[in-house]
Amino acid sequence: MTNDKPPLWRDSRFWNIAGQLTALFLAALVVTVLVSNLNRNLQQLGIQFGFDFLKQQASFDIGETLIAYKPTDTYSLALLVGLINALRVAITGIILTTIVGVLAGVARLSDNWLVRNISLVYVEIFRNTPLLLQLLFWYFAVFLGFPKADNKISLWGLIGLSQNGIELPWFTLSPEFSALLLGLTFYTGAFIAEIVRGGIGSVSKGQWEAARSLGLKPGLIMRLVIFPQALRVIIPPLTSQYLNLTKNSSLAIAIGYPDIYFVASTTFNQTGRAVEVMLLLMLTYLALSLTISLIMNAFNRTVQIKER
Amino acid sequence: MTKLTWLRKNLFNTWYNSALTVICFVLLFRALQGAVVWATTKAQWAVVQINLPLFLVGRFPQTEYWRVWVVLAIAFSLAAITAVVFLGKQRFAGFIKLVAPWLSLIWVLSFPVILWLIGGGFGLRPVSSNLWNGLLLTLFMAAISIVLSFPIGVLLALGRTSKLPVIRWFSILYIEIIRGVPLIGILFLAQVMLPLLLPTDFRLDRVLRAIAGLVLFSAAYMAENVRGGLQSVSRGQVEAAKALGLNTFFVILLIVLPQALRAVIPAIVGQFIGLFKDTSLLSLVGLVELTGISRSILAQPQFIGRYAETYLFVGLIYWLFCYLMSLASRRLEKQLNN
């Protein structure tokens, strides 16, 4: 009966296992070569791998901090300050961009011609130019173009605009933070507007008609009938926009807002520890991405249709 | 429909719509008025006029500009031919039949020719890659990165859908790590870490390192786009091909990939638009592409403070390219759905 068994080279299981072993071997080989190169290069530079430098004195100042920090503190504290700054801009950005995006998306479907087209122009302008350029524009052309603090532009006596940033009645936002926040908000908002428009468009026409025949007002139809159903389509791409916003906040370095990337980059410039800084940065952003994904997935589960 | 009924229907159909129209109109009028007053009185457009060649081709030697024009002509005629083939008009049926089978080959062959025209050598005066700046470098980086990331992305997508656990996990790990990290981090990695990871005597120049970074980044997103296409190919196709006796390699190459890739062309155009915008980040790692050159122009003493003019002009260039590409992609999508 041995004849019934196919020869080894005709057995797909053999090839599957052999192929995977080869892949593993090649990957191990590549990693070994790279790591040995890295070791040799680092040795030449006189750097030894390790995270001890985090306990050293940072000796650089950070423009804005939410927790107490002075240049004599350690690198690890400086990085923590950067992380908090990044979180601050990411969280406020996500909230604001959701508002802007939903408003613009709903406006795209308005029966008012002017509103519809203003929203269209907004989306097409902001979606089709690079975020970095928009940030540079907000910071250098808008905020640095404002008058000095003593003759600030006052909007209804509530908001003051000057080179010092945005002055609200209870606190002041620095120009760097304001430019980054506005840039991220309006850029991401343009993408969210398209997602919201697509989501609302995906709700079948019968739902509108049924709601109208029940005698609901247009505003209520939107809030009670259409939007909850559109959310099911909207949330997955919305999550990836939130992730994009968080990752894009690293462009803060272009306008000098001290987020985690900015602080890490300064740390690298001072210590030359490329590998460690890179690892820390990657882990931080992966952790942030994972957190947002988990939260949004949990939220997504609550809006999906529950099949009984 | 007369103008009056149009107005009533589209702008003043209810009281709140009328109020909205009036508010929007006033705000729009004030904004436009402000913009026009600024653009005609306060703005100094000399920064754009004087530096126009710098924005477009950077420090590319003036005597060699004709080479850029030839490249432009090649790119435009190729794009036009591709458009004709994809739109499939009856009038050009003969032409399409003649060209269509060769189209991808022509595209592939045009690449070394364009590289030769820009870089020189073989009888042309060599132009160092330090001198390719401005829009030229932006277009070059975006094009070369998307082309190089395509095969890697396809392999990663196939790896991610593979039944072999080792290969699948490698692909997932790569794709998810790259997608979880900001592009600027990957560009930094490519600029700083690549020289450390390669043998000591092996030096890549700044442009090549930037391309490596963009390709590493773009391949992960390409893989996700292609995976979408792979999922759209129905299982029956694979089963039918297997029943014909094709082995896995040929099933993928001849049956699955052609259908999958056709389905993801619009997504790939979208990714190209994204990559085109993302090349602006190269200015943060020392490359002098469109955004980089506007920063160095703004650093000249005579143009200090002319931020708004410069960034508006550069923004207009980016916008034109992205908008035209997205229009083309929408047309393409319609065409493919038919």
Side-chain angles (χ1 to χ4, degrees):
Chain A
M1 294 305 268
T2 45
N3 283 357
D4 284 347
K5 211 176 157 196
L8 198 56
W9 63 89
R10 297 292 304 263
D11 190 337
S12 66
R13 277 172 305 175
F14 165 73
W15 285 113
N16 284 349
I17 294 170
Q20 296 192 66
L21 283 178
T22 322
L24 265 182
F25 175 72
L26 281 179
L29 193 72
V30 169
V31 169
T32 324
V33 169
L34 291 182
V35 168
S36 79
N37 278 336
L38 185 65
N39 271 333
R40 198 171 324 119
N41 284 321
L42 285 182
Q43 237 163 37
Q44 275 185 2
L45 292 170
I47 297 176
Q48 205 168 17
F49 181 81
F51 288 92
D52 296 339
F53 72 98
L54 286 175
K55 295 198 197 85
Q56 290 167 13
Q57 185 179 317
S59 53
F60 60 86
D61 204 5
I62 296 180
E64 45 189 301
T65 60
L66 286 188
I67 56 173
Y69 169 85
K70 49 192 182 309
T72 48
D73 283 325
T74 57
Y75 279 117
S76 47
L77 192 72
L79 287 166
L80 181 66
V81 169
L83 178 62
I84 292 173
N85 279 340
L87 285 176
R88 180 160 80 118
V89 83
I91 292 170
T92 42
I94 283 175
I95 295 169
L96 280 182
T97 200
T98 311
I99 298 171
V100 169
V102 170
L103 280 180
V106 173
R108 280 296 300 276
L109 298 163
S110 159
D111 51 3
N112 186 322
W113 182 88
L114 198 60
V115 172
R116 205 162 59 220
N117 281 287
I118 288 177
S119 174
L120 174 73
V121 169
Y122 155 68
V123 169
E124 293 296 353
I125 288 179
F126 281 79
R127 222 168 43 141
N128 286 321
T129 43
L131 173 61
L132 178 62
L133 197 71
Q134 290 181 27
L135 289 177
L136 293 172
F137 188 86
W138 279 111
Y139 185 61
F140 289 106
V142 176
F143 278 97
L144 296 190
F146 279 144
K148 292 250 164 17
D150 25 339
N151 48 359
K152 61 187 177 206
I153 306 166
S154 177
L155 299 176
W156 311 290
L158 281 176
I159 307 169
L161 298 172
S162 71
Q163 286 192 353
N164 287 0
I166 302 178
E167 279 175 47
L168 297 170
W170 51 98
F171 58 88
T172 303
L173 303 172
S174 75
E176 291 83 16
F177 179 80
S178 317
L180 184 63
L181 184 65
L182 288 175
L184 288 171
T185 298
F186 284 109
Y187 181 77
T188 318
F191 288 89
I192 293 179
E194 285 298 280
I195 292 169
V196 169
R197 185 177 70 105
I200 293 175
S202 75
V203 178
S204 79
K205 232 175 154 180
Q207 298 287 328
W208 287 95
E209 286 158 3
R212 216 171 293 142
S213 66
L214 286 175
L216 286 176
K217 292 206 177 75
L220 281 180
I221 296 180
M222 194 54 142
R223 222 176 65 209
L224 299 176
V225 180
I226 305 302
F227 208 70
Q229 299 187 63
L231 267 186
R232 291 179 192 136
V233 184
I234 289 173
I235 287 181
L238 188 66
T239 307
S240 71
Q241 287 307 322
Y242 287 171
L243 293 175
N244 282 346
L245 186 141
T246 310
K247 284 185 284 169
N248 282 336
S249 69
S250 59
L251 292 184
I253 194 166
I255 54 175
Y257 174 72
D259 77 327
I260 175 90
Y261 187 84
F262 182 97
V263 176
S265 165
T266 314
T267 306
F268 160 70
N269 286 336
Q270 289 190 358
T271 59
R273 295 187 175 265
V275 188
E276 295 89 338
V277 166
M278 207 57 228
L279 277 175
L280 278 176
L281 261 185
M282 282 193 148
L283 285 178
T284 312
Y285 278 105
L286 286 178
L288 283 179
S289 301
L290 212 60
T291 316
I292 294 175
S293 299
L294 283 178
I295 295 173
M296 290 302 285
N297 284 344
F299 180 47
N300 193 20
R301 245 171 275 134
T302 65
V303 298
Q304 292 304 323
I305 301 172
K306 304 214 171 39
E307 303 209 1
R308 280 182 258 256
Chain B
M1 194 160 59
T2 62
K3 274 178 192 157
L4 214 63
T5 51
W6 185 89
L7 274 180
R8 188 170 301 152
K9 188 156 182 284
N10 288 294
L11 294 175
F12 300 102
N13 55 350
T14 50
W15 67 266
Y16 55 84
N17 251 340
S18 311
L20 214 55
T21 303
V22 171
I23 294 171
C24 282
F25 187 77
V26 169
L27 287 179
L28 197 65
F29 181 76
R30 301 236 349 226
L32 278 180
Q33 193 188 26
V36 169
V37 166
W38 175 82
T40 48
T41 58
K42 275 175 89 180
Q44 295 173 22
W45 296 101
V47 60
V48 173
Q49 277 166 2
I50 295 172
N51 297 307
L52 196 59
L54 270 181
F55 280 118
L56 298 182
V57 292
R59 290 171 295 151
F60 203 83
Q62 223 155 24
T63 50
E64 310 292 321
Y65 276 178
W66 63 271
R67 280 152 59 173
V68 179
W69 286 112
V70 174
V71 167
L72 213 60
I74 292 177
F76 260 108
S77 38
L78 275 180
I81 292 172
T82 313
V84 166
V85 169
F86 266 102
L87 291 177
K89 285 262 159 59
Q90 274 302 315
R91 258 191 302 158
F92 304 112
F95 175 73
I96 291 171
K97 216 172 166 190
L98 188 73
V99 174
W102 302 100
L103 197 60
S104 42
L105 189 69
I106 299 174
W107 271 104
V108 171
L109 285 182
S110 75
F111 224 73
V113 175
I114 288 175
L115 211 58
W116 169 64
L117 278 169
I118 297 179
F122 302 109
L124 284 178
R125 192 178 130 202
V127 178
S128 149
S129 64
N130 294 333
L131 301 181
W132 321 347
N133 314 133
L135 181 61
L136 180 68
L137 186 63
T138 295
L139 286 171
F140 176 78
M141 296 299 277
I144 201 162
S145 310
I146 202 92
V147 169
L148 291 180
S149 67
F150 182 70
I152 306 176
V154 171
L155 284 181
L156 281 170
L158 288 173
R160 193 168 182 169
T161 49
S162 159
K163 286 196 193 73
L164 311 177
V166 172
I167 295 183
R168 188 170 65 240
W169 280 105
F170 269 138
S171 311
I172 292 180
L173 206 63
Y174 177 83
I175 293 172
E176 293 306 330
I177 288 180
I178 295 286
R179 279 169 19 109
V181 177
L183 172 58
I184 177 74
I186 293 168
L187 290 175
F188 172 82
L189 184 96
Q191 292 294 341
V192 178
M193 293 279 287
L194 216 53
L196 292 177
L197 290 172
L198 292 173
T200 316
D201 47 349
F202 195 82
R203 285 278 166 257
L204 290 172
D205 82 346
R206 201 171 270 280
V207 172
L208 283 179
R209 276 180 282 162
I211 289 175
L214 280 180
V215 169
L216 282 177
F217 175 78
S218 181
Y221 288 81
M222 182 68 83
E224 286 301 272
N225 281 335
V226 173
R227 187 163 71 111
L230 289 176
Q231 281 169 353
S232 77
V233 179
S234 74
R235 258 204 16 225
Q237 296 283 331
V238 178
E239 284 162 3
K242 284 232 165 107
L244 286 175
L246 291 177
N247 65 25
T248 315
F249 178 74
F250 282 111
V251 171
I252 290 173
L253 190 72
L254 299 177
I255 309 292
V256 176
L257 272 186
Q259 297 183 59
L261 293 184
R262 200 178 145 80
V264 294
I265 289 175
I268 292 175
V269 177
Q271 200 191 334
F272 182 74
I273 298 174
L275 197 62
F276 179 78
K277 287 187 294 173
D278 282 341
T279 54
S280 60
L281 300 201
L282 294 173
S283 67
L284 298 179
V285 290
L287 260 71
V288 197
E289 42 63 70
L290 195 49
T291 308
I293 202 133
S294 54
R295 287 166 65 125
S296 52
I297 287 171
L298 283 167
Q300 294 173 22
Q302 60 188 119
F303 300 124
I304 274 187
R306 301 268 70 88
Y307 296 110
E309 294 88 339
T310 311
Y311 289 142
L312 281 176
F313 175 71
V314 170
L316 182 70
I317 298 181
Y318 278 112
W319 185 84
L320 269 179
F321 274 87
C322 292
Y323 187 69
L324 289 179
M325 283 190 283
S326 70
L327 275 188
S329 129
R330 256 173 271 168
R331 279 292 287 277
L332 201 66
E333 208 166 341
K334 251 186 215 157
Q335 201 69 30
L336 288 176
N337 284 340
N338 284 345

